[in-house]
Amino acid sequence: MAGHHHHHDGHDHGHDHGHSHGHGGHGHSHAPASFDRAFAIGITLNILFVLAEAGFGFLAQSVALLADAGHNLSDVLGLAVAWGGATLARRAPSKRFTYGFKGSTILAALLNALMLLVALGAIVLEAAQRFTAPAPVAGNIVSIVAAVGIAVNLGTALMFMRGRKHDINIRGAFLHMAGDAAVSAGVVVVGVIILFTGLTWLDPLASIVIAALIFWQTWGLLRESVEMSLAAVPRAIDYDKVGEALAALPGVARIHDLHIWPMSTTETVLTTHLLMPGGHPGDAFLLETQSMLRTRFGIAHATVQVETTECVAGC
């Protein structure tokens, strides 16, 4: 069970997760919105940095800087994709898209996972070439520019730090930035070591090690976004516990057709049938059930069908 670690992650925050959604729909409209500033600042900083880096690259005639500028441009794209997903998710529902575009956060996370894998492939390919033909050790300009790059990437990553646990779309943005900071830091540290030891092969080796670490994180992102695309039960929710909670409600003989799936990376939908031989319990019961699902499990959109006799549809 490779992803055991993520699985737990979900559970620890299961409760927290529930409470953040506990205030009606109110919890949701804010969850993504609060990252608008982070996205705007992150994209602006990164675009400015890419322009500066490309400029210095031309002046210093440094292929390394130009390559890094291209690399940072892919980050801008990653941030833009995540922001686009979060923004589309806030569009009002229509007759055609009855849930609005909530699922666009899932598509954005999936797209970001794929883009990260492509970027990692490029890093590994470049490293492999450097084993055979070592790149010259970075000069002063390159080191200074790289250091600024680390600051930009790290600063942007920190803005998304708090959202990465509960929203895999934000995790995608976070991974782009954190991964980049790690690669740049590796280049600088290894550059210094090479100056003193002359071991040029350390450079590509460091790139490959860092790429492997990012791959490990990205794999979780890819797996989880694919699961969400396939309407799997979100990892923070225990299907059996939800079933037990519903079956334990007063008057419920048994439940069937329990479905739980993600509408977006932060919102969950549930439908179920409750067999209640004593008759329909009334609207208050339905409201209480929805409220219980919201507070205990963070499921904000529940639809419950009550049946009073066994085998209604001639099962």
Side-chain angles (χ1 to χ4, degrees):
M1 161 111 189
H4 204 67
H5 140 100
H6 283 299
H7 201 71
H8 272 318
D9 238 73
H11 281 312
D12 301 345
H13 301 279
H15 280 303
D16 250 40
H17 188 80
H19 294 306
S20 57
H21 297 261
H23 324 290
H26 173 80
H28 307 295
S29 45
H30 283 320
S34 53
F35 286 100
D36 274 358
R37 248 185 67 214
F39 280 122
I41 295 170
I43 287 175
T44 310
L45 275 179
N46 277 280
I47 287 177
L48 290 174
F49 179 64
V50 166
L51 292 173
E53 196 171 27
F56 276 116
F58 280 119
L59 289 175
Q61 294 189 323
S62 158
V63 181
L65 278 182
L66 288 172
D68 199 46
H71 188 144
N72 279 299
L73 203 54
S74 81
D75 280 353
V76 174
L77 194 60
L79 286 176
V81 166
W83 197 9
T87 305
L88 279 173
R90 294 202 291 271
R91 291 195 39 179
S94 65
K95 285 181 182 177
R96 185 90 198 261
F97 295 92
T98 56
Y99 276 139
F101 286 142
K102 293 272 199 303
S104 56
T105 52
I106 297 173
L107 291 178
L110 182 59
L111 189 55
N112 256 328
L114 293 173
M115 287 187 347
L116 272 161
L117 290 178
V118 171
L120 290 179
I123 292 174
V124 171
L125 191 66
E126 195 192 336
Q129 289 165 344
R130 283 203 313 253
F131 270 120
T132 48
V137 176
N140 293 344
I141 293 188
V142 179
S143 305
I144 293 167
V145 175
V148 174
I150 298 171
V152 168
N153 288 326
L154 209 55
T156 310
L158 288 174
M159 292 193 291
F160 295 108
M161 189 96 176
R162 67 188 169 89
R164 74 184 202 288
K165 283 273 190 272
H166 297 316
D167 184 346
I168 67 167
N169 183 38
I170 298 295
R171 195 189 320 161
F174 172 80
L175 276 177
H176 265 278
M177 306 320 297
D180 239 30
V183 171
S184 309
V187 170
V188 172
V189 171
V190 170
V192 172
I193 296 174
I194 291 172
L195 276 174
F196 288 105
T197 62
L199 301 172
T200 46
W201 54 266
L202 281 173
D203 183 30
L205 183 69
S207 294
I208 287 177
V209 169
I210 292 166
L213 287 172
I214 302 168
F215 175 77
W216 181 65
Q217 292 287 317
T218 304
W219 186 248
L221 178 69
L222 180 67
R223 205 184 50 215
E224 217 169 316
S225 49
V226 167
E227 283 174 6
M228 284 190 159
S229 309
L230 296 173
V233 178
R235 287 174 169 260
I237 295 171
D238 184 331
Y239 181 90
D240 292 331
K241 284 211 170 74
V242 176
E244 284 160 20
L246 288 166
L249 291 169
V252 176
R254 63 185 191 83
I255 70 162
H256 59 102
D257 287 290
L258 172 59
H259 296 284
I260 307 170
W261 72 98
M263 182 199 308
S264 76
T265 52
T266 52
E267 292 177 61
T268 307
V269 194
L270 172 150
T271 60
T272 187
H273 296 214
L274 306 180
L275 176 65
M276 306 186 73
H280 194 292
D283 292 350
F285 169 86
L286 295 178
L287 287 172
E288 276 161 31
T289 301
Q290 285 173 323
S291 154
M292 179 274 289
L293 289 168
R294 188 181 296 127
T295 49
R296 270 187 66 183
F297 301 103
I299 299 171
H301 307 267
T303 304
V304 177
Q305 175 170 323
V306 173
E307 292 156 10
T308 50
T309 52
E310 193 71 75
C311 290
V312 173
C315 54

